[in-house]
Amino acid sequence: AKANYALALPFHQKSAEFAERLARLEPNNISHQRTLAIGSNNLAKTLAKNGRRAETLSIMNRGLDIFRQIAAADRLERVARE
């Protein structure tokens, strides 16, 4: 199973790079931001499984920060609609 994580790593890295580009092109697009957060989370998990824990924490925190921003924006939008 460990070999599968090693094989998956470059794919998760590429996926995170593409998500980053999309998020930069359209920073107000919540879907792109969510994709970036999920991609960051997937990459962090794969890095951890490959023993690269030093990188894992910063990438995981980045994804968590994006999810927090999405949640805050959603709360503001709900309040504005009321």
Side-chain angles (χ1 to χ4, degrees):
K2 190 170 183 154
N4 291 337
Y5 289 110
L7 292 172
L9 184 56
F11 294 102
H12 285 290
Q13 288 169 321
K14 269 293 185 212
S15 177
E17 288 172 20
F18 288 131
E20 176 71 37
R21 285 186 204 147
L22 279 174
R24 264 193 257 130
L25 285 171
E26 294 185 61
N28 295 323
N29 185 316
I30 298 298
S31 180
H32 294 337
Q33 297 301 320
R34 188 177 295 112
T35 299
L36 177 56
I38 292 168
S40 296
N41 187 50
N42 290 341
L43 176 57
K45 286 185 202 177
T46 305
L47 286 166
K49 292 290 187 178
N50 280 289
R52 293 170 60 179
R53 290 185 170 81
E55 296 165 85
T56 299
L57 187 57
S58 66
I59 294 172
M60 186 68 76
N61 281 332
R62 181 168 182 240
L64 182 57
D65 287 342
I66 295 166
F67 279 126
R68 285 181 178 141
Q69 291 168 8
I70 292 169
D74 186 51
R75 278 192 295 274
L76 289 174
E77 186 176 320
R78 285 184 194 179
V79 169
R81 279 190 258 152
E82 292 176 354

